[in-house]
Structure formats: structure tokens, C-alpha cells
């Protein structure tokens, strides 16, 4: 059984849920604890309900799990929604002046904080938050010192009196809890490790910077805006040109322009913005200009549920833009992978001069994970592919779209003498001359189409096939893609503890798909279940189209919230019992 | 890094001759624009490899194929964002943007406005023929009221956009109008526009001989009046430019309506570009900077 401890902090938007979350995250990661955090929130700036879950422990934390050990409600609504989820050994820390907790389960410690006695609440509106943090650390046995330094940093832009006041408040909460409240039964085992804590958006932005990104542009759209924020605030240190553009059509085309001029260029958006970009994706492929696009999926269709997660964009990515063209699509498996995937996909798109799509989702983009800082490698291999940078022969010899066995024609960076040429959106000959008008030629068109599509073979050979996790043979094989990696891994652990033999096939590279390698694995599987965060089983349908493989069963969720391990455990058991082949877990609590 | 292979003053029209002959209709105004652009580049002695010519889609957007530079034929209406990206990545290039009225004022109008307010150093030349030609004769954003086209068989009822007034309002720092049949004048305007630091916009009457029988060369000839012929006209006066932009009918002004030189270009405002063109910069994050990025997360 994985040792972990989960804290839930909830309140209305604007009540300051994020700050205690940041403080806990800093303290845990500095005391050698891993963590995984997910914020369930609404598309509202003030009011509504926001609920942040931070799960921590000495080993890696692959997912949050819906279980709570400590609840900190900042308002009555949060207490009403979440108190019933606490089980024996859990505790609820609340402002006794403000909140009347309802009925809790046996063995749950209700911990009223006399906020008005401990703090001057007329001066400090968020006093209850800081008091609760202090009290929580006392009950968890983590000690006060680390909190003091984190508070210093957290409020460093404020005046000294504010910092001192917050430290005093935290101390008051800590001391009050030490004297009046029962500590948790099992203290967490602290370690000497230190971790970086980051969101998937930050990880993708930093991974791209590490890969040599020089141009980034975007239009704000949840949940991808975090990439733009990181880029904007770090542009001058990282020497990256960052632009906020008028719309996503402008975004993709500006990125393509910069890429054409010779730099690595990227943009990020969500499904709606991506829809506007799709014609540009075709331009990237046709003109053979590499560009990387991140899609942070949110619940659709249309504007959908802007602050909720889904894996519902796969078919949009597969079908984006008309016509056939080479493309590469990869889905990062977790937040650390959001970083490591970026140099890989930049290298592929540069080598094969085609668009690359990073198919992320809100769960990873806005979730946060502790990561070993060594994973954040700012010196990865950079392969720009076949690029001509030196002075060349007279221009009439250079063929921008030279037909080659690999389908890749050496690119030249504009500005170099002797290589002037035209790159074009219309179909063209090897030298870039349009063959859409007076020079239309079906044989050339066919040759160009085949040249471009040959790149897919090279891309397939450059990406690793998926690997099975767990025993080679098992009673049941769980198949997922992208962000479900962590939750499926933990579900496998829980199933094994219950005596069910299970393995896990996570898919990271979606296009091109290693169909043969996947079939080699799945043809030997006894019972296969595909797990995905969408309604129609988009990956199941894609897998069938590429391999003819039909899974035994499916677990799907499309309520906007991510899977928890127990959802998968229960669904696998009901499917092994033969009750159903399609499970749609209920999300237990309104968030 | 680019090195000069052509000695100065030896850049000739031959250097800019495209690989294929234009396939515009005989008599199309775009021939005149192409010749004027080539002449301007020769007179300014800009080597062809230092020029990027970027277009959208339409008859006039086939332009980059007919001039020997680093050409780029992009999507309908998207030439300006692509060109902005090119300029941001390599601001040492002279970036010319070419297209038509449908491309620039119809499908691409949003980008047009934003490119002007950004004052990105591009030269945008719209070959304005007041009709959709490549799609065989539909109304365009600059088609005049009552004009009969395939999509307005009973006469156009939508008032045309005024590109000059729009550009002035959007904050363009160089606004001019040319006429393809006024070669010398047009060449001077293009030279002037290329030399202008910032966004330069040239609306160029380039009559369509096939689909626009209203606004022909013969129709324009007696009407166009050069602003340069009026010594009292002050092209630094915004109000005067706006007033002139409203003229249409017996007198249609051509020439430089407006120029201001006190607005920094987007390139000048971005410290990231101070060390030189982005494309020539190191693409590795220095180790201490990388460490600072990670330390923020610890």
C-alpha cells in the first residue's frame, strides 16, 4: 500500500485557495516528499467553488485519488460538499467563527480554529488560511521551521509587517494545534531529496526552451494559457521572442513564418483554438515547414467546459486540415514527460519538416507534480535535420522540394545567397513552382504527394514502440494514452494487492502508431480494457482503424473530472465478473 | 551567415526575374506592380537573397513565384501573420507582403489591423482590383456600390471599405496609394515604403481586365491626382490625410497620404532582438539561466 496523505482545500474563487496550496507544495517538496496536485475549479473569477487536492508521500505520487485525510474548508459550502468524504483517522480544520460542520463519519476529528481569538480578522481577511496551514503542519508532524522560510518567500513582495504578521499567524495556528488537537496517527517519512514542483504547462514551456525554442506565440485560452504566461515572464532571460496574437489563425501562421525563417517555433491552445489553426497545419505540412503545436484538451465540444479535463480532441488531431499529409502526434504521459517530450518532438518535426502536435490535457497542463530536478535537462540532443546554412551554388540548381528516398529535402534558411526559391501552399514542383495553374501536372502532383508521405516511414522508425508495464501475461491488460498513465499505474497496484493479475499498455506516440508492436502485445492478452477520458472511445476507435483490434471492454469518463484509481479498480472488477463491457464511473463529489 | 556575392551597384532587373513568366491575364494591372517592385529593389540595390516576398492567395498572391527572392505563398488572408513571424525571426530581411483586396481586406482584415498597430517593419502592397478574380468575378470588400458581379447580379448594396482611412485609423505609420499604370510614381512609392521603418501600407489600383468593367485603367486615368503635385500637402498631417482619404469620384488621390517616423518598430521594442536576428542567436539556454528556472520551482 502506497504511503500518502491528501489535503483538500476548498472555497470560493477569490478566497485564496491557491496560496495555501503553493505553501504546502513548497514545504512538502523541500522535506523530501513527492506530491501531485489537482485543482477542480470553475470558469469564474470570484465566487463559485474551487477545490484543490494535494496528495503527498515519500514515494512518487502518480495521481490524486479522491481520498482525503485532511479537509480545510474556507467556507460552509466546501464543508457541506466534502466533509462526508473523510473517513476514520481524517480531520477537518475549520474556522469556528464561520463554519458549522455537519455530520461526519466515525473517527473523524473535527478541529475548530478560534480564528477571531487567534487573529485580528478585521485587518487580515485570509487569516484563517494561514492559521490553518500552521495547524495542519503541527498535526502532520512536519515542524514549523520550513513554514517560516516559505512564508518569507511567498510574501516577499509585501512589506515586512505583512510577512511578520503571517509568520505570527502561522505560529499561532501551529501552537494552538500542538496544544489542542490530536496529531495524525501516521507521520509521513520525510527524506533528504528535494523536488521541483511544476505544472504541465510550465513543463512544456521549459521543455521547449530547453529544445532551443526561439519563437512562441499564442492567444489566451484555458487550459493552455499557462504556457504563454511562462513564456511571457521568462522570454527575456531565455531569449525567446514571445507574442500574443489577435487570434489562433494568426498564431499558427506567425509561428510558421518564424519557423520558415529558421528558428524553432511553437504555439499552444485548446480544442477551440486548435480548430482555427487547422488550415495552418496543412500549410506547415505542404510548405514543409516544421512547427510544434500544443493542444491542452478541455471538455468540449464548442466552448464546452473551459476549466474541466477531457481526452476528447484525438479525432480532431487525426483529421485536422484537409488532404493527406505527414504529421506526428504525441501525448505526454505525466507532467515530467511534458518536459522530456518537447525536445523529442522538436527533433522529429525538424528532421521531417512537418507539423508536430503535443496532445496534452487540463489534468496535466494545470495539475502539479514533484519532479526530480535532474529530469529537467536543459541540455538535450538538438537535431535540426537537413538544413543548408552555408553559401551555395547558383540558385537554379537548388530544389527546395527535391524528391528523395526519405521524402526529406534539405531546407535552406532565407537570407543565404544563391538559394532563393519559393515555398508554397499550392501544390508545387521540386523547385517550388506552383503546379496548380498553367503548369498543372498530375504526374508531378503524384510524385510530390508520395514524397511527402514517405516521411511517415522515417518518423515511425524514429519513435520507440510502446512498452508493456507489469508482467508479460496477466488476466487483464489495461490500455490508456497520455494523461491516464499515472492513474492506471496506481489502479494496477491496487488490483494486484487484491490478487488480480494486471498489466498496463500506455500509448505515448499516437501518430504514427506502432500497430505491429501493439498487436504483438494485445494478441497475447486475455482480457483487454481501454480506458479514456471521453464519451465515444476515441482511442478505441482509432486503434481499431489502424489494427482491426477490438478490446474486450472500455472504461470511459466524460464528466469533466479525471479518473481516480478506485474508479478503474471497481470497473475492472465488474468487467472481469462479466457484468458489463462499458463502465462509466460516477464522480462521487460535486466539485 | 549571409555574405554578399553580388558587387554593389550591379544588381539588375535580371536578378529579380522569376523562374517562370507570370500567368496573369494579358493587360492585368499586376504586371505593372511586379515591374515596379523589381525596379524599386534594383534602385535600392537590395540583393535578392535579403528579400522575403510573402503572399496570401488570389491572382495577385501568385506574385512571389514571379520574382526571384525568398518567396512564400501562404494561405488566403494569412500573409501578414506569416510575414510578421518571418520578420521577428530574421529582422535583417527586407520583407515584402503582396496580395489582393479580398485577401487583405476580406478574409485577412483582422490581421491587417493588428499588423498596423504593431508597427512591424513590413511593406504591404495590396493589388486592389475591387473584384475577386481567381474565383471568377465575385464582389470584393472594395467593390463600389451598385457594381454588378456574379454574387451581386442586381448591384452591390454593401458600402466598400476605405483601405486608406482604415490604415490611418489602425495606426499605420506609412500609408500610400499607387496606380499600376503610373509606373514611375509607383516605383518611387515602393522605394519609399521599403525605406520606411515600420509598417508601410500601399493600396495599389491594379485593374482587373477580365471581371471588373467598371474600374478600368481608362476609368482611373483621368481621376487619379498625385498628392505630390500639390506642394501644400503635408504628409505628416494626420487630419489632412484622413480628409484626403475620403475623396472618391472625379478626383481620387494617389501618392503618400501619411508618414510618421517617431513610432518605434516592433523589432526595436523587443530587447530579445538586441543581439541580432533571432535566427543567428544561440539556441541553448545558458546553464546559470537554466538553473534559475529550476530554482524557481524548488
Amino acid at each position: 500500500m502506497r504511503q500518502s496523505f491528501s489535503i483538500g482545500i476548498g472555497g470560493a474563487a477569490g478566497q485564496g485557495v491557491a496560496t495555501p496550496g503553493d505553501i504546502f507544495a513548497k514545504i512538502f517538496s523541500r522535506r523530501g516528499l513527492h506530491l501531485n496536485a489537482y485543482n477542480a475549479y470553475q470558469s469564474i473569477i470570484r465566487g463559485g467553488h474551487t477545490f484543490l487536492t494535494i496528495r503527498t508521500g515519500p514515494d512518487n505520487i502518480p495521481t490524486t485519488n479522491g481520498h482525503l485525510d485532511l479537509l480545510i474548508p474556507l467556507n460552509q459550502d466546501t464543508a457541506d460538499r466534502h466533509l462526508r468524504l473523510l473517513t476514520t483517522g481524517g480531520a477537518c480544520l475549520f474556522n469556528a467563527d464561520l463554519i458549522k460542520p455537519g455530520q461526519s463519519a466515525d473517527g473523524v476529528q473535527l478541529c475548530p480554529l478560534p480564528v477571531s481569538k487567534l487573529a485580528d480578522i478585521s485587518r487580515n481577511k485570509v487569516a484563517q488560511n494561514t492559521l490553518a496551514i500552521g495547524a495542519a503542519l503541527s498535526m502532520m508532524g512536519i515542524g514549523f521551521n520550513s513554514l517560516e522560510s516559505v512564508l518569507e518567500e511567498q510574501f516577499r513582495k509585501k512589506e515586512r509587517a505583512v510577512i511578520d504578521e503571517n509568520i505570527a499567524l502561522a505560529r499561532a495556528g501551529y501552537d494552538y494545534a500542538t496544544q489542542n488537537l490530536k496529531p495524525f496517527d501516521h507521520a509521513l517519512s520525510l527524506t533528504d531529496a528535494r523536488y521541483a514542483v511544476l505544472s504541465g504547462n510550465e513543463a512544456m514551456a521549459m521543455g521547449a526552451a530547453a529544445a532551443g525554442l526561439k519563437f512562441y506565440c499564442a492567444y489566451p485560452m484555458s487550459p493552455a494559457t499557462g504556457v504563454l504566461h511562462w513564456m511571457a515572464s521568462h522570454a527575456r532571460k531565455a531569449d525567446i521572442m514571445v507574442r500574443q496574437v489577435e487570434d489562433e489563425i494568426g498564431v499558427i501562421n506567425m509561428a510558421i513564418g518564424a519557423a520558415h525563417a529558421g528558428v524553432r517555433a511553437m504555439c499552444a491552445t485548446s480544442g477551440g483554438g486548435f480548430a482555427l489553426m487547422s488550415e495552418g497545419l496543412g500549410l506547415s505540412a505542404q510548405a514543409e515547414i516544421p512547427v510544434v503545436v500544443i493542444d491542452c484538451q478541455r471538455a468540449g465540444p464548442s466552448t464546452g467546459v473551459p476549466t474541466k479535463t477531457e481526452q476528447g480532441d484525438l479525432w480532431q488531431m487525426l483529421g485536422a486540415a484537409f488532404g493527406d499529409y505527414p504529421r506526428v502526434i504525441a501525448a505526454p504521459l505525466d507532467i515530467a514527460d511534458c518536459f522530456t517530450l518537447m525536445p523529442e518532438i522538436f527533433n522529429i518535426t525538424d528532421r521531417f519538416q512537418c507539423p508536430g502536435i503535443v496532445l496534452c490535457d487540463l489534468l496535466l497542463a494545470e495539475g502539479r507534480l514533484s519532479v526530480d530536478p535532474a529530469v529537467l535537462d536543459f541540455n538535450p540532443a538538438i537535431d535540426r535535420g537537413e538544413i543548408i546554412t552555408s553559401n551555395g551554388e547558383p540558385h537554379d540548381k537548388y530544389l527546395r522540394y527535391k524528391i528523395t528516398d526519405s521524402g526529406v529535402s534539405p531546407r535552406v534558411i532565407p537570407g543565404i545567397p544563391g538559394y532563393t526559391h519559393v515555398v508554397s501552399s499550392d501544390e508545387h514542383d521540386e523547385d517550388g513552382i506552383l503546379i496548380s495553374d498553367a503548369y498543372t501536372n498530375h504526374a508531378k502532383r503524384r510524385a510530390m504527394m508520395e514524397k511527402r508521405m514517405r516521411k511517415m516511414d522515417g518518423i515511425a522508425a524514429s519513435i520507440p514502440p510502446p512498452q508493456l508495464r507489469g508482467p508479460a501475461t496477466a488476466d487483464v491488460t489495461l490500455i490508456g494514452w497520455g494523461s491516464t498513465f499515472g492513474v492506471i499505474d496506481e489502479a494496477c497496484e491496487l488490483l494486484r494487492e487484491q490478487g488480480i493479475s494486471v498489466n498496463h499498455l500506455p500509448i505515448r506516440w499516437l501518430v504514427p502508431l506502432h500497430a505491429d508492436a501493439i498487436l504483438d502485445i494485445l494478441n497475447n492478452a486475455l482480457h483487454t480494457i481501454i480506458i479514456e477520458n471521453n464519451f465515444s472511445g476515441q482511442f478505441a476507435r482509432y486503434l481499431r482503424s489502424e489494427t482491426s483490434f477490438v478490446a474486450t471492454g472500455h472504461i470511459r469518463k466524460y464528466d469533466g473530472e479525471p479518473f481516480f484509481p478506485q474508479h478503474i479498480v471497481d470497473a475492472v472488477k465488474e468487467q472481469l465478473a462479466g457484468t458489463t463491457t462499458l463502465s462509466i464511473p460516477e464522480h462521487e463529489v460535486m466539485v | 551567415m549571409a555574405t554578399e556575392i553580388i558587387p554593389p551597384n550591379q544588381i539588375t532587373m535580371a536578378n529579380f526575374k522569376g523562374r517562370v513568366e507570370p500567368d496573369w491575364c494579358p493587360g492585368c494591372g499586376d504586371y505593372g506592380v511586379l515591374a515596379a517592385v523589381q525596379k524599386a529593389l534594383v534602385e535600392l540595390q537590395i540583393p535578392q537573397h535579403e528579400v522575403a516576398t510573402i503572399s496570401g492567395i488570389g491572382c495577385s498572391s501568385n506574385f512571389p513565384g514571379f520574382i526571384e527572392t525568398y518567396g512564400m505563398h501562404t494561405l488566403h488572408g494569412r500573409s501578414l501573420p506569416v510575414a510578421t513571424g518571418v520578420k521577428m525571426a530574421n529582422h535583417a530581411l527586407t520583407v515584402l507582403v503582396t496580395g489582393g483586396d479580398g485577401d487583405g481586406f476580406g478574409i485577412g482584415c483582422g490581421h491587417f489591423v493588428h499588423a498596423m498597430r504593431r508597427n512591424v517593419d513590413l511593406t504591404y502592397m495590396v493589388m486592389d482590383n475591387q473584384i475577386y478574380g481567381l474565383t471568377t468575378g465575385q464582389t470584393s470588400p472594395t467593390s463600389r456600390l451598385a457594381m454588378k458581379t456574379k454574387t451581386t447580379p442586381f448591384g452591390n448594396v454593401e458600402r466598400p471599405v476605405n483601405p486608406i482611412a482604415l490604415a490611418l485609423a489602425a495606426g499605420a505609420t506609412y500609408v500610400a496609394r499607387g496606380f499600376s499604370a503610373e509606373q514611375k510614381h509607383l516605383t518611387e512609392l515602393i522605394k519609399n515604403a521599403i525605406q520606411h521603418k515600420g509598417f508601410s501600407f500601399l493600396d495599389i489600383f491594379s485593374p482587373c481586365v477580365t471581371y471588373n468593367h467598371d474600374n478600368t485603367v481608362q476609368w482611373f486615368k483621368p481621376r487619379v491626382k498625385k498628392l505630390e503635385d500639390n506642394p501644400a500637402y503635408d504628409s505628416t498631417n494626420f487630419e489632412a490625410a484622413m480628409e484626403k482619404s475620403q475623396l472618391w469620384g472625379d478626383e481620387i488621390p494617389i501618392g503618400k497620404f501619411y508618414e510618421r517616423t517617431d513610432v518605434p518598430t516592433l523589432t526595436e521594442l523587443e530587447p530579445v532582438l538586441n543581439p541580432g536576428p533571432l535566427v543567428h542567436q544561440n539556441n541553448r539556454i545558458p546553464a546559470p539561466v537554466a538553473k534559475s528556472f529550476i530554482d524557481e520551482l524548488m
Side-chain angles (χ1 to χ4, degrees), chain A residues 461-475:
Chain A
S462 305
I463 60 173
Q467 300 287 325
L468 196 61
R469 294 169 66 80
T473 55
D475 292 341

Side-chain angles (χ1 to χ4, degrees), chain B residues 281-295:
Chain B
Q281 291 184 22
N282 187 354
N283 58 16
R284 290 282 184 189
I285 305 273
V289 175
K291 184 176 180 304
S292 77
F293 292 165
I294 296 170
D295 285 347

Side-chain angles (χ1 to χ4, degrees), chain A residues 9 16-25 52 54 74 129-130 133 154:
Chain A
I9 310 167
V17 171
T19 306
D22 290 344
I23 291 170
F24 279 125
L52 175 71
I54 302 176
L74 302 180
N129 303 8
T130 314
I133 295 167
Q154 190 73 27

Side-chain angles (χ1 to χ4, degrees), chain A residues 310-331:
Chain A
E310 198 160 278
Q311 294 180 299
D313 292 4
L314 176 59
W315 279 83
Q316 183 184 201
M317 301 302 125
L318 296 171
F322 43 93
D324 287 316
Y325 63 88
R327 76 189 88 191
V328 54
I329 305 176

